[in-house]
Amino acid sequence: MTKGLNPSTTTRRPDRAALFIAAVLAAIAGLIFWDVSRLSGAAGYSQVGPTTVPYAIACCLAGLAVWTVFAAFRNDFPEREHQEISPVIWIVAGLAAQMLLLNVAGFSIATGILFALTARGFGKRKLWFSLPVGIALCFAVWVIFAKLLQLSLPAGPLEHLFF
Amino acid sequence: MKHFFLASILAGAMALPAYAADYTIIAPANPGGGWDQTARSLQTVLQQEGISGNVQVQNVPGAGGTIGLAQFASQQKGNPNALIVGGYVMVGAILTNKSPVTLKDVTPIARLTGEFEAIVVPAASEIKTMADLVAALKKDPGAVSWAGGSAGGTDHIAVGLIAKAAGVDPTKINYIAYSGGGEALAAILGSQVTAGISGYGEFEAQVKAGTLRLIAVSSGERLAGIDAPTLKESGLDVVVENWRMVAAAPGLTDEQKAAVSADVEKLAKSAGWQEVLKTKGWQDSYLSGDAFAAQLDKDVAATEGVLKDIGLVK
Amino acid sequence: MATFEFLLQGLWVAAQPMNLLYALIGVTLGTAVGVLPGIGPALTVALLLPVTYQLDPAGSLIMFAGIYYGGMYGGSTTSILLNTPGESASIVTALEGNKMARAGRGGPALATAAIGSFVAGLIATLGLAFIAPYIVKLALVFGPREYFALMVLAFVTVSSAFGDSTLRGLTALFVGLALSVVGIDQLTGQARLSFGVPELLDGIEVTTLAVAMFAIGETLFIAAQGEKGPDKVEAVRGSIWMSKLDWARSWKPWLRGTFIGFPIGAMPAGGAEIGTFLSYAAEKRLAKHPEEFGHGAIEGVAGPEAANNASAAGTLVPLLTLGLPTTATAAIMLAGFQQYGLQPGPLLFATNPQLVWGLIASLLIANFMLLVLNLPLIGLWVKLLTIPKPWLYAGILMFATLGTIGANPSVYELGMLLAFGLLGYAMRVFGYPIAPVVVGLILGPLAEQQLRRALAISQGDVSVLFTSPIAAVLLVIAAAALIIPLILRARGRGEVLAQLAANED
């Protein structure tokens, strides 16, 4: 913990991201304190009631937040690699689309879109190709799991067309 | 291939009206407990009697079934193929947990079984009779630990009633809640607790094998084939029956409700179900329709009184 | 001896060519479904159980055994190759296994997992056959205080899965613990950290968290490397088969993993993942080259995989002898057994010996078939890595969400998947280890409930936590694991440790 990392960039500027993480940890600790304080601590014969453990966890999180602040000022965090944001956005969009469309469009279409957008995130730009491939693949998976193996996967227009 | 598809669509279309619904039954408790056994028995009989082609059981454990009930009410709304097993425990748990979802939020179909509580101790225990247990309870209520189902359930209520009948402050009982029958049974078998309380069916195999000693049952009269005195015989005026029911999802049309009720009635009258009742030692307490609804309201009101009385609900 | 005759008879029936074929089909199906990320053994067994109903009792029992072992083993393949464990018991396998796969040693990693699973399955199944009644007695001795001590030991030892920074490891663990508090408190029925949201009353599903943090987090992280990430993984470097050195380093962890996993799997509140945690920690402490841990140490694959499969057989101990299903998988198996007229309980071995020994014989055969199927397949599995990344990861996300949707088809559950996936991504970016979050979520509630039960039973007397011999021994081991490294460091021998710490960056 005492080693100074990344010697070339050791300007004494605190690591902003780490400070943000510390703030989030402190906020979680505060949230736990606030929520648990409303519970009745009645514990019967055990002196450890329903509030004890959450309080302990909140205290530790608060302590870790302070530790993280120190680490931020000492630049103790490992150097972060450059992150491409657009692929992440494509994949998150795919997951969100699947979540919202699942009950409307059925498993095959919703998951096919997730498939195509994930491939897009990894650089396959040809959506006109990957989207049909994804939907066909997901339909095959749906047939195997929902029809053959009786897993409850939501059906939509495409599935109703065949079954 | 095309022909195959066509044929299967045709076959599917033709089979559809003939086939009854494929049911999914939620057992709102851990595997091994009473509701789980009820759900799995329903599954077996529904399939075996040809009432339903395919039945699946899903366990959603915790907090006296209110977790399963809440999930069922929110996720299965309007789904005529979803059923949930529930019972008296749920009535108490809804009150103690201040559950936002109550039995009014689902469609109760019918009461199916009743089961009396059994009080057991490990075979090696020094406690031989209910009188011994009451004596220990009077001496130091905290020293008698009871393993049973979740907080505020039938088991918990019964312990409270026993304490009250014995003249012990019911708020002083040392009740250890487990989320399912399996874990509680392990704790009793391992002599981790003084006594265990649950439906007789959950202890039956162990009682027969001689690893647990049955010291009392909570019925009004002695039960056929069970060699144990009632609580009344032991001088405690307590009768507790843990009934179990099956409910459907909220938001069903009258037709859908009638269809489910018809399926359940067919089940309750079937030879297969009667056989299950016999082997599991459950009492047939089939009651449906308005009569069940009225009985349910009465039970809810009575339970609230009992829970307040013994300090579980303020 | 009658038991031997029953076992031999069972083996003879199971070894009929037709039944061997059923075993092979069962193992193939189990592995094929179990290998999909997001679909763990419970779901695999539940899905495939109806397939067995078509056969005669002997055939269906043996196919069922194949599905069970296949499903238990299947998860490790994707954990090792793709770092996407679909269930909590293969998380530890991913820690070292995936590092090995990235270094082109996926073949040996898969081989040690397969052979370790076989060895563990063999020993544990024999254990089930001959010492189940004794093991179950040991399991029943474990009351709340013993479980609490076991959880303390698990907490202390899993710190070896924390990676290179104490701060970040602890932070990850406490995030998991904070998540574990969400939901209704088992012992008093009060809602904690649920903010009036009914869906949160259930608490957070371990499978959802594991799939999100690993499968989705990993996908996002790889995608964010953009073009400059390694273009393709070198699938095989050196031999695809285990070298002599690999064998020498694997056989002891296999045995140790078996002896850790089997009894813990047999405990009513144990569970497969705790055995894998303890096995990993034990291997790290006993290894000749602990500095390799975190960079692909074969011991870290061999031990936990053996523990995982041994606990699969261990789970059958309380199930068969007490009728207690202790895991979701076991609960589904109970339904399966009833189909064969097998009513688990204390009298089962006495009243129904043919079926019990038939099952045990089936498990032995299935275990063998698992090896027969999987060793030749290793070459094929490793080729998974050569699938172009866009299609590979699109497929991973498809199956990861399929498992979640199949278990609980709600929009809300998918929302959790997305949210925790982003959390997993963010934690990877900032160098936080992922495993402790899942560990915290698993161990947190167990530790809390057992502590509170122990104290309630003792009426608040804290000393009971230390006075049971088993609990005391477990706590002493935990204390030793915590303190000895500190003493070593203080006495100047710490140079070695400091050296190791330096190497880890």
Side-chain angles (χ1 to χ4, degrees):
Chain A
M1 273 290 93
T2 51
K3 295 163 281 143
L5 279 173
N6 42 15
S8 57
T9 57
T10 316
T11 51
R12 299 299 296 171
R13 215 159 53 99
D15 185 336
R16 287 234 199 113
L19 286 179
F20 178 73
I21 291 172
V24 170
L25 291 177
I28 298 174
L31 193 67
I32 296 177
F33 264 112
W34 172 75
D35 184 79
V36 171
S37 63
R38 302 171 310 157
L39 293 180
S40 85
Y45 283 90
S46 157
Q47 63 271 65
V48 175
T51 57
T52 318
V53 170
Y55 278 139
I57 293 170
C59 289
C60 291
L61 278 172
L64 287 166
V66 174
W67 191 351
T68 307
V69 170
F70 277 108
F73 277 97
R74 286 201 319 227
N75 279 301
D76 253 356
F77 273 73
E79 206 166 354
R80 287 182 285 281
E81 290 175 32
H82 174 70
Q83 302 288 315
E84 300 266 342
I85 293 304
S86 67
V88 176
I89 292 173
W90 278 110
I91 296 170
V92 169
L95 286 164
Q98 184 205 31
M99 178 172 80
L100 297 174
L101 289 175
L102 186 67
N103 288 320
V104 190
F107 177 80
S108 310
I109 294 176
T111 311
I113 292 171
L114 166 68
F115 186 92
L117 292 187
T118 305
R120 175 67 186 78
F122 279 93
K124 289 277 171 207
R125 286 166 195 283
K126 290 181 242 164
L127 280 182
W128 56 265
F129 173 71
S130 55
L131 195 59
V133 167
I135 292 177
L137 195 65
C138 292
F139 183 69
V141 166
W142 184 86
V143 171
I144 293 171
F145 281 87
K147 286 290 132 186
L148 246 52
L149 297 175
Q150 308 281 351
L151 190 64
S152 57
L153 295 174
L158 183 66
E159 289 85 357
H160 288 307
L161 211 59
F162 291 91
F163 292 96
Chain B
M1 202 61 204
K2 215 174 189 177
H3 283 288
F4 171 75
F5 261 121
L6 215 60
S8 45
I9 292 167
L10 270 178
M14 275 170 4
L16 211 59
Y19 259 130
D22 284 354
Y23 283 112
T24 300
I25 305 178
I26 307 287
N30 266 331
W35 288 341
D36 180 64
Q37 288 185 29
T38 308
R40 291 189 194 280
S41 306
L42 282 174
Q43 175 188 38
T44 315
V45 178
L46 282 171
Q47 288 177 340
Q48 165 192 319
E49 297 286 330
I51 299 169
S52 174
N54 177 33
V55 181
Q56 289 179 335
V57 172
Q58 206 183 333
N59 291 92
V60 187
T66 51
I67 290 176
L69 186 72
Q71 189 179 320
F72 180 77
S74 66
Q75 289 179 5
Q76 305 295 346
K77 197 172 185 134
N79 177 0
N81 297 339
L83 296 175
I84 188 168
V85 170
Y88 184 56
V89 179
M90 218 176 235
V91 174
I94 289 166
L95 292 165
T96 45
N97 298 344
K98 299 185 203 75
S99 165
V101 178
T102 71
L103 291 177
K104 294 229 177 308
D105 298 307
V106 297
T107 312
I109 297 292
R111 188 176 72 187
L112 289 174
T113 69
E115 191 177 19
F116 294 105
E117 297 282 288
I119 293 130
V120 296
V121 293
S125 169
E126 285 171 10
I127 293 165
K128 306 282 183 214
T129 63
M130 196 63 207
D132 294 347
L133 188 62
V134 170
L137 195 65
K138 279 185 175 160
K139 198 169 146 220
D140 181 3
V144 178
S145 48
W146 304 76
S150 49
T154 317
D155 307 341
H156 198 171
I157 291 173
V159 176
L161 288 172
I162 289 170
K164 209 176 154 214
V168 174
D169 181 358
T171 57
K172 288 274 184 292
I173 54 174
N174 193 358
Y175 184 80
I176 318 289
Y178 287 86
S179 71
E183 228 186 309
L185 181 55
I188 307 161
L189 284 172
S191 297
Q192 306 297 335
V193 288
T194 316
I197 182 161
S198 187
Y200 175 69
E202 296 186 28
F203 296 139
E204 189 179 11
Q206 306 295 336
V207 170
K208 282 191 177 151
T211 47
L212 289 180
R213 185 182 308 125
L214 178 63
I215 58 171
V217 289
S218 71
S219 53
E221 280 140 37
R222 282 209 180 210
L223 298 170
I226 298 175
D227 179 28
T230 63
L231 286 170
K232 274 190 172 165
E233 286 175 59
S234 317
L236 301 163
D237 187 18
V238 176
V239 175
V240 180
E241 186 186 5
N242 181 12
W243 48 263
R244 299 194 181 120
M245 62 149 191
V246 62
L252 297 193
T253 65
D254 286 348
E255 283 151 27
Q256 287 171 328
K257 193 183 162 187
V260 177
S261 297
D263 277 351
V264 172
E265 176 153 13
K266 225 188 286 174
L267 165 108
K269 300 273 182 275
S270 70
W273 182 249
Q274 294 303 324
E275 186 62 36
V276 167
L277 293 178
K278 223 162 85 194
T279 52
K280 299 263 181 191
W282 294 336
Q283 318 290 314
D284 188 356
S285 66
Y286 179 70
L287 187 67
S288 66
D290 293 339
F292 177 47
Q295 182 63 40
L296 193 58
D297 285 343
K298 228 159 81 187
D299 277 345
V300 172
T303 308
E304 193 162 9
V306 173
L307 286 172
K308 275 190 180 144
D309 212 20
I310 60 180
L312 290 171
V313 169
K314 298 215 169 62
Chain C
M1 218 173 116
T3 54
F4 250 124
E5 276 167 37
F6 281 125
L7 182 60
L8 286 180
Q9 195 186 342
L11 278 174
W12 189 76
V13 172
Q16 302 293 311
M18 207 53 208
N19 285 337
L20 285 181
L21 181 67
Y22 288 144
L24 189 64
I25 294 172
V27 168
T28 312
L29 284 174
T31 310
V33 178
V35 80
L36 301 173
I39 301 183
L43 201 52
T44 307
V45 175
L47 285 176
L48 294 174
L49 199 55
V51 178
T52 65
Y53 293 167
Q54 328 294 339
L55 308 172
D56 64 286
S60 72
L61 204 59
I62 196 167
M63 190 190 273
F64 167 80
I67 290 169
Y68 181 51
Y69 272 162
M72 284 306 290
Y73 170 76
S76 61
T77 305
T78 41
S79 295
I80 290 171
L81 294 178
L82 306 170
N83 200 18
T84 58
E87 23 106 20
S88 44
S90 31
I91 287 170
V92 175
T93 309
L95 288 178
E96 300 301 322
N98 186 246
K99 292 276 170 24
M100 287 181 70
R102 287 198 184 164
R105 301 210 343 110
L110 288 173
T112 197
I115 301 169
S117 294
F118 172 74
V119 171
L122 184 70
I123 297 174
T125 310
L126 289 173
L128 171 68
F130 295 106
I131 56 169
Y134 310 102
I135 287 284
V136 85
K137 272 194 195 117
L138 175 74
L140 286 179
V141 170
F142 265 69
R145 51 189 176 170
E146 285 84 7
Y147 279 120
F148 176 68
L150 181 66
M151 295 310 143
V152 171
L153 177 62
F155 269 122
V156 170
T157 52
V158 289
S159 59
S160 45
F162 278 3
D164 48 19
S165 154
T166 316
L167 168 63
R168 291 193 295 276
L170 278 177
T171 306
L173 178 68
F174 273 93
V175 167
L177 288 174
L179 292 174
S180 80
V181 181
V182 175
I184 288 184
D185 171 39
Q186 285 281 346
L187 290 139
T188 59
Q190 299 185 76
R192 297 190 294 193
L193 291 175
S194 307
F195 313 107
V197 181
E199 279 81 3
L200 283 179
L201 290 178
D202 300 22
I204 289 156
E205 190 65 44
V206 174
T207 327
T208 305
L209 184 78
V211 169
M213 300 282 278
F214 283 95
I216 296 181
E218 176 80 4
T219 305
L220 289 172
F221 188 68
I222 302 268
Q225 306 303 306
E227 312 292 321
K228 70 180 168 48
D231 196 31
K232 64 171 190 221
V233 185
E234 200 179 333
V236 182
R237 193 176 298 157
S239 168
I240 191 164
W241 186 238
M242 286 168 70
S243 68
K244 214 173 207 174
L245 183 65
D246 290 332
W247 279 95
R249 289 175 59 175
S250 288
W251 71 271
K252 278 189 207 154
W254 291 338
L255 294 181
R256 279 193 290 261
T258 307
F259 289 113
I260 292 172
F262 182 60
I264 288 183
M267 285 175 198
E273 58 280 294
I274 293 168
T276 63
F277 299 157
L278 291 177
S279 165
Y280 181 82
E283 293 315 324
K284 185 166 181 181
R285 295 205 190 248
L286 293 171
K288 286 213 184 75
H289 306 280
E291 72 279 4
E292 276 183 32
F293 273 75
H295 304 277
I298 195 165
E299 294 92 340
V301 181
E305 264 307 300
N308 183 5
N309 260 47
S311 79
T315 307
L316 294 174
V317 171
L319 187 64
L320 291 177
T321 55
L322 297 177
L324 285 186
T326 52
T327 61
T329 319
I332 295 154
M333 290 172 55
L334 188 63
F337 288 161
Q338 285 166 344
Q339 202 77 19
Y340 314 128
L342 213 130
Q343 195 57 256
L347 301 176
L348 179 70
F349 277 82
T351 57
N352 232 338
Q354 249 119 352
L355 271 171
V356 181
W357 291 103
L359 174 70
I360 288 169
S362 301
L363 287 169
L364 287 172
I365 298 281
N367 192 32
F368 178 68
M369 286 316 240
L370 189 66
L371 195 66
V372 170
L373 176 76
N374 277 293
L375 282 184
L377 276 184
I378 286 173
L380 197 68
W381 287 129
V382 173
K383 293 234 168 61
L384 259 184
L385 294 176
T386 57
I387 296 177
K389 267 195 216 164
W391 307 127
L392 180 64
Y393 282 96
I396 287 175
L397 286 197
M398 179 174 87
F399 283 114
T401 54
L402 169 81
T404 307
I405 295 168
N408 189 356
S410 83
V411 169
Y412 168 82
E413 208 66 26
L414 286 177
M416 292 243 274
L417 206 61
L418 176 54
F420 288 128
L422 282 170
L423 178 64
Y425 167 64
M427 288 178 70
R428 279 177 168 80
V429 172
F430 292 105
Y432 284 89
I434 305 296
V437 182
V438 188
V439 169
L441 186 67
I442 293 169
L443 295 184
L446 284 173
E448 182 191 0
Q449 285 171 25
Q450 302 294 7
L451 172 66
R452 286 167 60 190
R453 285 195 185 120
L455 288 176
I457 290 171
S458 76
Q459 303 180 65
D461 178 5
V462 181
S463 71
V464 293
L465 297 178
F466 317 101
T467 46
S468 127
I470 295 178
V473 167
L474 289 171
L475 288 172
V476 166
I477 298 172
L482 195 66
I483 295 166
I484 287 174
L486 295 178
I487 295 177
L488 286 181
R489 199 169 300 180
R491 283 177 56 193
R493 284 204 243 156
E495 279 170 30
V496 188
L497 286 169
Q499 183 89 35
L500 300 184
N503 283 345
E504 277 183 39
D505 280 313

